[in-house]
């Protein structure tokens, strides 16, 4: 058929269809199937459906529309945006553009999305989910020469939407990632393969590709905090382990690990689909993502998933890229027993379980101690007459306290809370709480970032409220363990008699000394405006 004839059919489709209907017998039935209508913008999808209803209502024709119901419902909201009514007054509300958001709790449109579909669609046929075995069979067909991926079909199925197009794109992307990794000689194909440098494994490459398809928000967050996936993975393993132990003992968990999950991880750990992907399968020899290979996976994703750069909205708050609820001051977190990498040499060391404060002790907390111990001298920068801290600094860490002042506070707190013994943390305890188990340089990773801590690089020149730098939190949920104030600790190595150790750096000094492994000797009788402390505790 010539192009001119095709153009004529396109513009005169109603006439052609009517003529065909009139020429053929009355029992003629022509079925027209319009698929993938949800690929259109929601508003355009509505226009197509209304065009069919208005102009193609011809005897003998049946129209089937393949579309996602949610797309149509969104289209209805967009199309009737200009007719939004205020529920209270019944008056039409003015909207500036189709990009504006409106609060559905106080506004309504003349027709609800569900009513609209009932008027347009005479017979809705919702499609059931695809059978799991059929999906597995389809995936096996797609794999073809990439049959080595077959053991990981459970990861692929649990992570991806059951959509044939998605599976095709995923398999193509995974094959590209694997080929590229082999060319770069950084993919471990078998366990007996001798590797001279850290390499990716096929199982973790599958997991990483699934994450790029199904959890782009996590991938974006990983660009801000490179070891985020490792931290989620470690918490999954910890909670699974505690659950298994409690089941073996046939008793409920008295203090489940989930109560100590840092605020910045809670939303991820509530996603069962994500947990099923990141859960380490030891039976398959899976060791999980590791710090020394994380860069390889991140670089691999850049080849195929370079998402458009978007500028973070300036909230006017230093260091906060993602707002999470602020934890209460005085909260303690449990650091589990086990090994970790300690010191500049990153030697393996084992510690028993202990508790530690997620924040340094604040002026407000220290004032309660001062009010209950009238004989104790207040810090030098406080107002002596009223025995109170400087205005607007209640949530700042207390400073100008000696080692003995900090010990006195812990002793008083132990008397207040009979259940625990409060004390100053030992150096190794402080360090594990700050850097986790993997020997990272700073609480958030190996690379310094001035937006994640209050050091000299920030240019503030003073203390900041505890928990101000939410992206600088440690793997266990402890804040301000790099910068803000030096913190008193009990030395765990031989030191000069009477000498104590400071950890964490402070607001007046640079990044080098804010490293988790850095330690400074200090006289326990001395105090300064850059020295504070946090509490540890044991049963």
């Amino acid at each position: 058929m010539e192009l001119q004839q095709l153009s004529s059919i396109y513009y005169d489709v109603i006439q052609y269809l009517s003529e065909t209907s009139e020429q053929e017998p009355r029992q003629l039935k022509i079925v027209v199937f319009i698929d993938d209508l949800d690929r259109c913008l929601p508003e355009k999808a509505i226009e197509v459906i209304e065009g069919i209803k208005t102009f193609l209502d011809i005897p003998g024709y049946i129209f089937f529309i393949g579309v996602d119901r949610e797309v149509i419902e969104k289209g209805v909201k967009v199309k009737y945006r200009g007719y939004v009514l205020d529920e209270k007054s019944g008056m039409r509300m003015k909207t500036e553009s189709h990009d504006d958001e409106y609060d559905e709790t106080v506004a309504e449109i003349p027709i609800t999305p569900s009513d609209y579909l009932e008027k347009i669609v005479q017979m809705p046929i919702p499609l059931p989910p695809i059978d799991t075995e059929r999906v597995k069979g389809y995936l096996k067909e797609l794999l073809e020469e990439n049959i080595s991926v077959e053991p990981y079909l459970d990861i692929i199925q649990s992570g991806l939407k059951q959509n044939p197009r998605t599976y095709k794109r995923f398999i193509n992307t995974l094959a590209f990632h694997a080929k590229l990794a082999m060319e770069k000689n950084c993919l471990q194909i078998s366990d007996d393969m001798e590797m001279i440098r850290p390499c990716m494994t096929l199982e973790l490459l599958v997991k990483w590709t699934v994450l790029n398809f199904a959890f782009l928000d996590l991938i974006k967050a990983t660009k801000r905090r490179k070891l985020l996936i490792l931290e989620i993975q470690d918490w999954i393993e910890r909670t699974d382990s505690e659950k298994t132990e409690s089941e073996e003992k046939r008793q409920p968990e008295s203090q489940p690990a989930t109560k100590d999950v840092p605020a910045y991880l809670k939303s991820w750990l509530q996603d069962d689909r994500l947990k099923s992907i990141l859960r380490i399968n030891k039976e398959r020899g899976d060791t999980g993502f590791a710090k020394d290979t994380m860069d390889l996976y991140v670089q691999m994703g850049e080849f195929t998933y370079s998402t458009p750069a978007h500028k973070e909205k300036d909230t006017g708050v230093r260091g906060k890229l993602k707002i999470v609820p602020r934890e209460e001051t005085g909260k303690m977190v449990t650091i589990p027993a086990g090994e970790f990498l300690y010191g500049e040499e990153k030697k393996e060391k084992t510690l028993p379980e202990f508790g530690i404060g997620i924040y340094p002790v604040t002026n407000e907390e220290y004032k309660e101690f001062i009010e209950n111990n009238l004989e104790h001298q207040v810090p030098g920068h406080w107002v002596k007459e009223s025995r109170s801290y400087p205005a607007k600094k209640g949530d700042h860490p207390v400073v100008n306290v000696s080692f003995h002042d900090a010990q006195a506070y812990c002793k008083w707190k132990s008397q207040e809370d009979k259940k625990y013994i409060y004390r100053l943390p030992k150096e190794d305890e402080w360090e594990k709480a700050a850097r986790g188990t993997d020997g990272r340089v700073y609480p958030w990773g190996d690379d310094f970032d001035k937006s994640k801590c209050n050091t000299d690089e920030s240019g503030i020149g003073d203390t900041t409220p505890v928990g101000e730098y939410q992206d600088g939190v440690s793997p266990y949920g402890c804040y301000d363990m790099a910068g803000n104030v030096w913190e008193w600790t009990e030395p765990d190595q031989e030191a000069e008699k009477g000498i104590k150790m400071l950890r964490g750096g402070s607001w007046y000094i640079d990044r080098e000394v804010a490293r988790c492994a850095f330690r400074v000797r200090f006289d326990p009788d001395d105090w300064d405006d850059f020295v504070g402390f946090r509490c540890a505790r044991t049963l």
Side-chain angles (χ1 to χ4, degrees):
M1 189 177 289
E2 294 182 3
L3 181 61
Q4 187 175 2
Q5 289 177 289
L6 284 173
S7 301
S8 175
I9 290 176
Y10 178 79
Y11 288 106
D12 300 325
V13 63
I14 299 174
Q15 179 183 341
Y16 276 98
L17 291 177
S18 298
E19 290 176 356
T20 302
S21 177
E22 291 172 359
Q23 293 171 5
E24 296 297 330
R26 300 288 293 177
Q27 65 269 26
L28 173 71
K29 291 289 185 290
I30 298 178
V31 178
V32 180
F33 186 61
I34 303 174
D35 195 12
D36 290 337
L37 195 55
D38 48 11
R39 289 194 185 188
C40 301
L41 292 173
E43 190 174 12
K44 291 297 180 184
I46 293 296
E47 289 182 8
V48 171
I49 290 175
E50 290 185 344
I52 294 171
K53 184 70 174 176
T54 304
F55 300 107
L56 300 180
D57 189 10
I58 304 169
Y61 285 85
I62 301 173
F63 289 88
F64 276 88
I65 301 169
V67 68
D68 187 332
R69 183 185 182 94
E70 289 184 4
V71 173
I72 300 302
E73 291 179 348
K74 289 178 181 177
V76 172
K77 291 178 182 179
V78 171
K79 183 173 181 62
Y80 292 99
R81 190 67 171 275
Y83 302 95
V84 173
L85 302 177
D86 185 337
E87 286 185 348
K88 295 179 181 178
S89 65
M91 300 294 289
R92 176 177 169 180
M93 297 169 61
K94 182 180 179 182
T95 55
E96 298 298 328
S97 70
H98 284 212
D99 294 325
D100 294 335
E101 294 292 335
Y102 67 94
D103 187 350
E104 294 186 58
T105 62
V106 298
E108 62 175 5
I109 54 179
I111 182 172
T112 65
S114 57
D115 287 344
Y116 178 89
L117 284 171
E118 286 184 9
K119 293 178 181 296
I120 295 292
V121 180
Q122 295 180 9
M123 185 176 157
I125 307 175
L127 296 179
I130 305 174
D131 180 74
T132 303
E133 289 304 314
R134 289 187 63 188
V135 171
K136 188 176 290 188
Y138 179 67
L139 276 170
K140 287 181 179 179
E141 290 179 12
L142 289 176
L143 287 171
E144 296 178 355
E145 61 188 42
N146 303 305
I147 198 65
S148 57
V149 180
E150 190 170 326
Y152 316 121
L153 289 180
D154 57 329
I155 298 174
I156 298 171
Q157 282 186 269
S158 63
L160 301 182
K161 292 181 178 179
Q162 294 187 349
N163 184 307
R165 286 194 303 271
T166 302
Y167 287 136
K168 284 183 180 179
R169 286 179 52 238
F170 173 82
I171 296 299
N172 291 337
T173 304
L174 180 61
F176 174 73
H177 281 173
K179 183 69 174 176
L180 187 62
M182 291 175 66
E183 290 294 327
K184 295 175 69 177
N185 197 29
C186 62
L187 180 63
Q188 184 175 353
I189 303 299
S190 60
D191 294 336
D192 57 353
M193 185 177 176
E194 187 176 347
M195 309 304 295
I196 59 174
R197 59 178 179 173
C199 288
M200 295 182 284
T201 66
L202 186 56
E203 178 160 356
L204 292 180
L205 189 57
V206 170
K207 287 186 177 184
W208 178 256
T209 309
V210 168
L211 292 176
N212 276 272
F213 266 73
F215 294 92
L216 267 179
D217 51 347
L218 176 59
I219 299 302
K220 290 178 182 178
T222 301
K223 292 179 180 179
R224 298 197 299 267
R225 188 178 177 91
K226 190 180 295 184
L227 303 181
L228 176 61
I229 289 175
L230 275 67
E231 293 164 357
I232 298 172
Q233 178 182 267
D234 289 346
W235 273 98
I236 293 171
E237 191 172 13
R238 179 180 172 187
T239 51
D240 285 352
S241 176
E242 291 195 3
K243 183 179 180 181
T244 301
E245 287 179 11
S246 64
E247 289 174 351
E248 289 175 352
K249 294 177 182 178
R250 296 183 179 180
Q251 61 184 24
E253 296 171 90
S254 56
Q255 289 185 334
T258 48
K259 74 180 181 64
D260 286 327
V261 172
Y264 76 101
L265 292 179
K266 283 182 179 177
S267 62
W268 305 115
L269 289 168
Q270 290 170 352
D271 193 318
D272 291 334
R273 194 161 59 109
L274 177 60
K275 288 196 291 186
S276 70
I277 296 168
L278 292 181
R279 186 168 279 113
I280 295 175
N281 190 325
K282 294 180 180 178
E283 294 179 1
R284 237 175 3 215
D286 178 22
T287 56
F289 289 102
K291 188 164 74 75
D292 58 348
T293 56
M294 199 64 215
D295 277 338
L296 294 174
Y297 297 101
V298 172
Q299 291 166 9
M300 188 64 64
E302 293 292 342
F303 285 104
T304 46
Y305 290 97
S306 52
T307 52
H310 67 285
K311 187 176 181 181
E312 294 286 351
K313 185 178 179 181
D314 184 8
T315 60
V317 183
R318 289 178 295 269
K320 289 184 182 177
L321 295 179
K322 183 178 180 181
I323 302 300
V324 296
R326 181 74 67 90
E327 302 279 9
E328 292 182 7
T329 55
K331 180 179 178 180
M332 308 288 283
V333 65
T334 301
I335 309 299
E339 294 181 348
F340 75 109
L341 300 180
Y342 177 63
E344 300 284 5
E345 299 81 14
K346 298 183 180 179
K347 294 181 179 179
E348 284 192 359
K349 190 168 187 176
T350 302
L351 289 178
E353 180 181 283
F354 65 94
I356 194 167
I358 64 169
Y359 299 130
V361 173
T362 63
N363 283 313
E364 189 174 16
E365 290 178 284
Y366 198 75
K367 181 173 173 57
E368 187 179 355
F369 159 68
I370 288 294
E371 289 175 344
N372 284 274
N373 295 270
L374 298 177
E375 75 287 353
H376 201 95
Q377 188 176 355
V378 300
H381 66 300
W382 284 30
V383 180
K384 292 184 179 180
E385 292 77 12
S386 61
R387 294 174 64 83
S388 59
Y389 51 81
K392 298 182 180 180
K393 286 203 172 184
D395 58 353
H396 285 235
V398 64
V399 293
N400 287 321
V401 288
S402 68
F403 182 86
H404 305 300
D405 291 329
Q407 274 192 322
Y409 176 89
C410 292
K411 183 178 179 181
W412 165 78
K413 197 164 179 64
S414 296
Q415 294 169 349
E416 294 293 307
D417 184 354
K418 307 293 184 184
K419 186 178 179 181
Y420 296 98
I421 297 173
Y422 289 83
R423 54 181 174 77
L424 291 174
K426 297 175 183 177
E427 273 195 277
D428 49 5
E429 291 175 333
W430 187 97
E431 188 173 320
K432 184 177 181 180
R435 72 194 307 194
T437 60
D438 54 24
R440 61 186 63 187
V441 178
Y442 298 99
W444 56 85
D446 290 340
D447 302 319
F448 179 76
D449 186 341
K450 69 178 183 180
S451 71
K452 295 178 180 177
C453 61
N454 178 15
T455 56
D456 182 58
E457 286 82 1
S458 68
I460 297 170
D462 196 2
T463 58
T464 46
V466 296
E468 176 89 347
Y469 293 90
Q470 295 191 11
D471 276 350
V473 66
S474 84
Y476 293 110
C478 297
Y479 296 81
D480 291 353
M481 300 198 89
N484 213 359
V485 293
W486 286 106
E487 298 179 21
W488 287 111
T489 63
E490 285 276 15
D492 59 296
Q493 301 177 14
E494 289 188 12
E496 298 174 34
K497 188 176 181 179
I499 293 297
K500 301 302 179 182
M501 291 293 173
L502 297 179
R503 288 296 196 117
S506 75
W507 56 266
Y508 90 103
I509 204 161
D510 66 16
R511 59 195 282 180
E512 182 64 21
V513 299
R515 294 180 293 112
C516 296
F518 197 88
R519 53 204 298 266
V520 172
R521 292 177 173 83
F522 212 67
D523 192 307
D525 294 318
D526 285 349
W527 44 266
D528 216 317
D529 61 356
F530 48 74
V531 178
F533 70 100
R534 80 177 66 214
C535 293
R537 74 181 182 188
T538 49
L539 283 171

